[in-house]
Amino acid sequence: MARMHHIGITVSDTTAATAFYAAATEGVVTGPLVKSGPAVDAATGHPGVEVLLTFIQAADGVFIELAEYRGTGAQPIDPDNGRVGAAHPAIVVDDIEATLSALAALGHRPLSQTMTATAGPMEGCRYVYVLGPDDVRVELLQEPHLSATPASP
């Protein structure tokens, strides 16, 4: 059975990215771990690279892997969602306003007002995009809460 293990995001500043994604997920942080050597060179296609890896595990067990490549002279890409090949993480949160407040304290603001999806697999979810570190668009989702049905007499 296939399932999601992690999403990887290349970052320019491990410390800032870790603070952002840890606040967004309330997840458990592992790292940074420093990786280098022939296997890393082969896997990344960047001979001589040193990669700082930090993993943030959300409550559902899925990880966000933050990778800071050192020694490559890498240029940033434009991660705008309107560009072919762009991707964005969508993080389910319990309280979208509380998460937005935590991210605002780190200097990250939403790109619009919070909206509610009206169709499809997100129907009823409240959502908003936040511009995260390195201009990665991060979607926050708050799932609809089912109201309890009162017991009949």
Side-chain angles (χ1 to χ4, degrees), residues 24-151:
T25 63
E26 296 181 3
V28 176
V29 176
T30 301
L33 311 170
V34 180
K35 301 292 184 179
S36 63
V40 174
D41 294 352
T44 64
H46 293 283
V49 72
E50 178 181 84
V51 183
L52 268 69
L53 293 177
T54 302
F55 296 87
I56 302 169
Q57 186 176 26
D60 64 357
V62 175
F63 291 90
I64 295 175
E65 174 192 59
L66 304 175
E68 181 181 336
Y69 285 64
R70 295 182 169 177
T72 64
Q75 296 297 311
I77 63 166
D78 182 353
D80 186 290
N81 285 355
R83 301 232 180 224
V84 173
H88 71 274
I91 300 169
V92 177
V93 299
D94 289 331
D95 183 338
I96 205 164
E97 281 82 17
T99 302
L100 287 170
S101 292
L103 297 178
L106 297 172
H108 299 278
R109 305 264 184 262
L111 297 176
S112 69
Q113 295 296 317
T114 301
M115 297 172 266
T116 302
T118 58
M122 289 178 31
E123 184 173 0
C125 289
R126 298 180 66 218
Y127 69 97
V128 67
Y129 283 88
V130 176
L131 199 57
D134 300 306
D135 293 334
V136 172
R137 276 82 175 154
V138 176
E139 185 175 7
L140 302 177
L141 295 169
Q142 181 177 327
E143 297 176 322
H145 297 286
L146 303 176
S147 59
T149 306

